[in-house]
């Protein structure tokens, strides 16, 4: 049994309550770790440490801070295999995926913000020959970063790195369901020379630790990634306190396939967009809209392509789909498959749990599931399932595709497949989402703005946007005597 501890003031400490939650390995469906059941007392200790550390960290030069962040990147890279295995045991995703996606991306996040912060400059506005303005940017102070379970270290590091790069001190909470790699990060930070108290990691339940971070009066900004309902709850507490907020929330992303697409490429990318990470990526394309003239051909090829995605032990290289992150989430995904049947859908592939023999026989695995015959605006097509389940819906015209794609409360990402350049641009302009991929999926340039519209979020991460979010701007106006 591995016991995880909080990381406060550069030290690993037990929660004040001395109580622990059960941490599960979803592939074997069994408890394998103990996770601190922290509360507001642990958050208060972290804030105390961060307050002292802020005096030190905010006075480091940009270059000094960047050097330490680069050392952290190197520290993770040096232990890539160990981090990848920990991520897979905690989350259920295939080990090869943790090795090529999650951990390398965490390394890139540190490298990217360490270097990008070096080129963030203030602004200058000349009003006339006597008056000019310049903008000062200073760190906010202590900030809270709350992240979800689907891409644990990837998203945890995506949040904390711009905050640290700009001189803030951080109180961070990973999901209590997948805390292992965030916990290991503390060791790397100490080895890299991050001053004590600059990064504090508190584990525990959202309604206890997350809400204590949100409500703490000395925590001036909240950067949150997670579900839309939780985002609303955080806003309810933080908005009246006038905290800065960046909210990256749920998605129900459309994948629009026109009959003039590059067929082979479209089938392959659509399968990846639907089922990578067991469909547990906020950017997964879970509603596939296909032009009716191509519908049957696409359906048949897509089913064959998805059949190649073998469900299996996440430790095996041959497994393309791993375990669902938790028992409650496993049950939630299955309940949506049952709902699809009630709503008149036909399951054309998958549709239930899979028993993986051997050490994974009690794990939580679900077959990649493809459903057709549902109305575009039924519950299954409006609500986020966040699992290996997609629906196929035919459309006839561009206008109809747009109407269907835009029919949910969400607006995070969209994929469009067509070889017609004008059509691609027209649809991209009219689609209600923060991110549009044309003939590709999950190509992420870290300099680009990342975020959603409607109930998929508020604000943008990525590039200079995230660095600016973690600063306060001050305009200084000077008038010189003539
Ligand atoms: P949740 O909203 O349940 O949880 C996210 C984080 O918030 C967790 O650390 C959670 O802790 C914490 N939390 C829960 N309740 C509160 C609260 N009242 N106050 C403060 N913090 C709280 O999301 P999931 O972890 O289930 O992640 C899945 C969701 O995340 C999906 O909706 C998905 O679309 C979204 N997501 C969005 C992304 C984006 O970039 N837009 C990227 C990835 C995921 P605990 O785990 O202990 O409950």
């Amino acid at each position: 049994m591995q016991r995880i501890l909080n990381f406060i003031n550069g030290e690993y400490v037990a929660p004040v309550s001395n109580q622990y939650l059960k941490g599960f390995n979803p592939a074997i469906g069994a408890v394998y770790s103990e996770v601190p059941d922290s509360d507001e007392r642990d958050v208060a200790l972290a804030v105390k440490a961060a307050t002292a550390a802020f005096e030190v960290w905010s006075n480091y030069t940009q270059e000094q801070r960047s050097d330490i962040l680069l050392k952290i990147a190197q520290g993770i890279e040096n232990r890539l295999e160990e981090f990848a295995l920990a991520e897979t045991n905690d989350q259920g995703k295939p080990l090869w995926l943790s090795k090529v996606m999650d951990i390398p991306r965490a390394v890139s996040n540190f490298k990217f913000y360490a270097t990008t912060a070096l080129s963030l400059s203030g602004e200058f506005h000349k009003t006339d020959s006597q008056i000019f303005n310049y903008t000062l940017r200073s760190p906010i102070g202590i900030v809270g970063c709350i992240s979800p379970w689907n891409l644990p270290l990837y998203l945890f590091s995506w949040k904390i790195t711009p905050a640290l790069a700009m001189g803030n001190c951080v109180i961070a909470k990973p999901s209590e369901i997948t805390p292992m790699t965030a916990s290991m990060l503390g060791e790397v930070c100490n080895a890299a020379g991050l001053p004590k108290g600059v990064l504090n990691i508190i584990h525990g339940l959202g309604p206890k630790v997350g809400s204590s971070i949100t409500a703490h009066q000395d925590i001036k900004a909240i950067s949150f990634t997670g579900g839309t309902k939780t985002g609303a709850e955080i806003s309810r507490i933080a908005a009246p306190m006038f905290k800065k907020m960046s909210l990256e929330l749920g998605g129900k992303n459309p994948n629009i396939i026109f009959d003039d697409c590059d067929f082979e490429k479209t089938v392959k990318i659509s399968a990846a967009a639907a089922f990578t990470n067991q469909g547990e990526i906020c950017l997964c394309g879970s509603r596939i809209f296909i032009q009716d003239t191509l519908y049957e051909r696409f359906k048949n090829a897509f089913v064959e392509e998805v059949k190649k995605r073998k469900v299996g032990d996440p430790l095996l290289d041959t497994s393309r789909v791993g375990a669902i992150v938790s028992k409650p989430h496993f049950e939630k995904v299955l309940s949506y498959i049952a709902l699809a049947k009630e709503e008149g859908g036909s399951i054309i592939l998958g549709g239930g749990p899979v028993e993986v023999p051997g050490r994974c026989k009690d794990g939580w695995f679900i077959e990649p599931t493809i459903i057709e015959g549902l109305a575009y605006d039924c519950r299954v097509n409006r609500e986020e399932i966040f699992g290996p389940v997609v629906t196929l819906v035919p459309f006839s015209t561009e206008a109809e595709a747009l109407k269907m794609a835009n029919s949910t409360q969400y607006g995070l990402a969209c994929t469009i497949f067509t070889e017609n350049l004008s059509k691609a641009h027209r649809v991209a302009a009219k689609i209600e989402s923060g991110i549009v991929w044309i003939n590709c999926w999950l190509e992420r340039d870290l300099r680009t703005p990342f975020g959603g519209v409607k109930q998929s979020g508020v604000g943008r991460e990525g590039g200079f946007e995230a660095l600016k979010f973690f600063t306060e701007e001050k305009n200084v106006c000077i008038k010189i005597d003539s």
Side-chain angles (χ1 to χ4, degrees):
M1 191 70 65
Q2 282 176 263
R3 175 170 278 192
I4 291 173
L5 296 171
N6 287 332
F7 182 70
I8 301 178
N9 206 25
E11 284 171 19
Y12 284 94
V13 292
V16 177
S17 67
N18 214 20
Q19 297 297 309
Y20 292 83
L21 304 159
K22 289 174 181 166
F24 290 86
N25 176 336
I28 56 171
V31 177
Y32 87 112
S33 69
E34 293 178 322
V35 184
D37 185 7
S38 311
D39 57 36
E40 75 280 1
R41 293 169 293 175
D42 304 278
V43 172
L45 289 173
V47 171
K48 193 171 167 214
T51 306
F54 184 66
E55 293 304 314
V56 178
W57 186 239
S58 60
N59 284 309
Y60 270 41
T61 64
Q62 192 60 61
E63 207 170 334
Q64 285 172 321
R65 287 199 290 263
S66 291
D67 282 350
I68 291 178
L69 295 182
L70 287 173
K71 282 187 190 147
I72 298 173
Q74 191 60 56
I76 302 171
E77 209 162 17
N78 292 345
R79 292 172 60 184
L80 190 141
E81 298 279 330
E82 200 188 327
F83 268 95
L85 183 60
E87 203 70 295
T88 285
N89 285 338
D90 229 18
Q91 209 277 342
K93 67 184 72 203
L95 181 57
W96 62 264
L97 188 62
S98 296
K99 285 185 194 171
V100 299
M101 180 177 77
D102 293 74
I103 308 307
R105 173 58 190 273
V107 172
S108 301
N109 289 339
F110 275 97
K111 285 184 182 166
F112 175 74
Y113 279 114
T115 48
T116 306
L118 290 171
S119 45
L120 180 67
S121 54
E123 281 153 32
F124 174 83
H125 300 94
K126 184 176 173 185
T127 308
D128 57 31
S129 59
Q130 280 183 282
I131 300 174
F132 62 92
N133 301 267
Y134 65 89
T135 307
L136 289 177
R137 278 186 192 284
S138 43
I140 297 173
I142 304 172
V143 300
C145 296
I146 303 173
S147 54
W149 49 253
N150 63 324
L151 302 169
L153 193 64
Y154 175 134
L155 289 175
F156 185 82
S157 55
W158 179 238
K159 298 208 152 298
I160 65 169
T161 47
L164 295 173
M166 297 317 293
N168 300 281
C169 290
V170 176
I171 316 294
K173 188 196 111 50
S175 170
E176 128 268 344
I177 300 167
T178 54
M180 193 59 83
T181 48
S183 168
M184 291 162 65
L185 183 65
E187 296 159 18
V188 176
C189 291
N190 280 347
L194 188 74
K196 287 177 187 305
V198 170
L199 173 65
N200 303 277
I201 304 168
I202 311 293
H203 301 279
L205 298 168
K208 270 160 101 173
V209 179
S211 59
S212 301
I213 292 173
T214 309
H216 199 293
Q217 59 179 9
D218 295 340
I219 298 179
K220 303 292 184 200
I222 303 291
S223 176
F224 169 77
T225 298
T228 295
K229 252 194 189 153
T230 315
E233 174 60 12
I234 287 174
S235 304
R236 192 184 63 75
I237 298 171
M241 299 175 80
F242 304 107
K243 294 190 182 199
K244 271 185 120 174
M245 271 185 284
S246 170
L247 305 173
E248 298 297 337
L249 309 176
K252 184 78 180 174
N253 309 305
N255 174 357
I256 305 173
I257 297 170
F258 289 99
D259 62 5
D260 56 4
C261 65
D262 175 332
F263 188 75
E264 306 300 328
K265 189 167 81 180
T266 301
V267 170
K268 281 198 161 34
I269 298 176
S270 297
F275 298 110
T276 299
N277 210 51
Q278 300 73 245
E280 296 166 337
I281 300 184
C282 54
L283 304 166
C284 278
S286 56
R287 292 181 294 149
I288 308 184
F289 297 105
I290 307 130
Q291 196 147 28
D292 45 14
T293 40
L294 191 70
Y295 187 85
E296 286 300 320
R297 184 173 167 222
F298 176 84
K299 177 175 111 178
N300 295 334
F302 185 65
V303 167
E304 290 312 309
E305 181 64 30
V306 175
K307 278 184 187 165
K308 294 181 199 158
R309 297 191 159 248
K310 188 173 176 295
V311 181
D313 184 339
L315 298 184
L316 299 178
D317 282 347
T318 47
S319 302
R320 283 292 163 273
V321 179
I324 300 296
V325 73
S326 67
K327 184 88 188 294
H329 192 58
F330 170 81
E331 280 162 2
K332 178 188 154 182
V333 174
L334 292 177
S335 78
Y336 271 102
I337 297 174
L339 177 64
K341 289 179 196 159
E342 278 170 36
E343 291 190 314
S346 311
I347 313 289
I348 53 177
L349 188 74
V354 186
E355 200 184 307
V356 173
R359 77 169 196 118
C360 296
K361 68 179 181 3
D362 296 321
W364 306 309
F365 295 86
I366 295 179
E367 294 167 282
T369 297
I370 307 174
I371 305 168
E372 69 170 352
L374 286 168
Y376 77 91
D377 56 354
C378 69
R379 274 187 60 202
V380 167
N381 273 329
R382 279 187 285 117
E383 297 175 16
E384 189 179 33
I385 302 173
F386 214 53
V389 179
V390 292
T391 61
L392 307 185
V393 180
F395 68 87
S396 57
T397 63
E398 196 178 310
E400 194 185 14
L402 274 165
K403 180 178 142 200
M404 290 175 169
N406 287 338
S407 67
T408 72
Q409 60 170 344
Y410 297 109
L412 187 56
C414 169
T415 347
I416 301 166
F417 290 96
T418 175
E419 292 296 298
N420 180 324
L421 193 60
S422 303
K423 192 191 293 175
H425 286 303
R426 267 198 316 269
V427 176
K430 288 190 185 148
I431 202 84
E432 293 166 358
S433 75
I435 300 152
V436 180
W437 280 293
I438 297 171
N439 298 330
C440 60
W441 176 72
L442 207 61
E443 297 295 343
R444 288 281 297 120
D445 182 325
L446 303 189
R447 295 169 298 179
T448 59
F450 179 91
V453 301
K454 302 199 280 189
Q455 294 193 19
S456 285
V458 177
R460 293 291 179 272
E461 296 184 337
F464 289 130
E465 301 284 333
L467 294 172
K468 288 180 181 171
F469 173 79
F470 286 112
T471 62
E472 286 292 2
E473 277 181 295
K474 185 186 287 171
N475 189 68
V476 181
C477 177
I478 303 175
K479 184 171 185 181
I480 51 172
D481 291 336
S482 51

